[in-house]
Amino acid sequence: KTGHDCPCAAFTDMPEFGTTEHDAIDWAFTHDPQITNGTSTTAFSPDATVTRGQAVTFLWRAAGCPAPESSSNPFGDVKAGSYCYDAVLWAVEQGITNGTSTTTFSPGRPCQRAQIITFVYRETTFAPNADCTRAAVVTYLYRIFTGEGMLN
């Protein structure tokens, strides 16, 4: 892949080609359904803070946009028609997250690293109790010890 056939070539603020971050953004941009796009036609904003609403929406899209089973919404700050409405309802139904109170989700609040790790851990496709392959272990170690990991 060169910069000319990179799916995110229009974004002028992409991480260096060949890095884990660059590959992850390409994956999210081309995933079906698309997990996320840019913050404008020329920017991805890789260093911008993700909100709780965005994080849950990214996870929901990565799971294939499953429809929530219920339309019951206890959160006054997540309105029907909002970009994160179905994602929040689905994530709460699946036990992936709760609100910040019984009546608020706080979709605009920054999502902390501990929260996203918890969201991913609770998402059943992560399979935290499944056996781990040798390739997975060395990939985790590589990402942690070379600074390529998601915890950086």
Side-chain angles (χ1 to χ4, degrees):
K1 243 177 359 181
T2 66
H4 297 290
D5 62 0
C6 172
C8 297
F11 300 140
T12 59
D13 58 353
M14 284 289 288
E16 186 177 331
F17 182 77
T19 62
T20 303
E21 292 84 5
H22 185 108
D23 293 345
I25 293 168
D26 281 349
W27 171 79
F29 187 77
T30 60
H31 189 273
D32 185 22
Q34 186 178 51
I35 295 170
T36 189
N37 53 17
T39 55
S40 75
T41 57
T42 59
F44 183 80
S45 303
D47 296 324
T49 299
V50 171
T51 65
R52 287 174 47 83
Q54 290 169 336
V56 169
T57 300
F58 292 174
L59 184 60
W60 174 69
R61 290 175 181 163
C65 300
E69 295 177 15
S70 171
S71 60
S72 176
N73 177 14
F75 307 121
D77 58 353
V78 178
K79 304 294 183 197
S82 165
Y83 78 93
C84 66
Y85 182 81
D86 285 343
V88 169
L89 294 184
W90 169 80
V92 170
E93 285 177 358
Q94 299 301 309
I96 294 169
T97 187
N98 299 314
T100 54
S101 79
T102 57
T103 59
T104 58
F105 183 77
S106 304
R109 183 183 289 178
C111 187
Q112 297 172 334
R113 290 178 182 192
Q115 291 172 325
I116 193 65
I117 294 300
T118 301
F119 294 168
V120 171
Y121 178 82
R122 291 177 179 163
E123 217 284 271
T124 57
T125 58
F126 177 67
N129 297 318
D131 291 346
C132 198
T133 66
R134 290 168 47 86
V137 171
V138 296
T139 299
Y140 300 153
L141 293 174
Y142 169 78
R143 289 180 176 165
I144 291 167
F145 288 100
T146 64
E148 297 287 329
M150 66 183 263
L151 300 177
N152 293 327

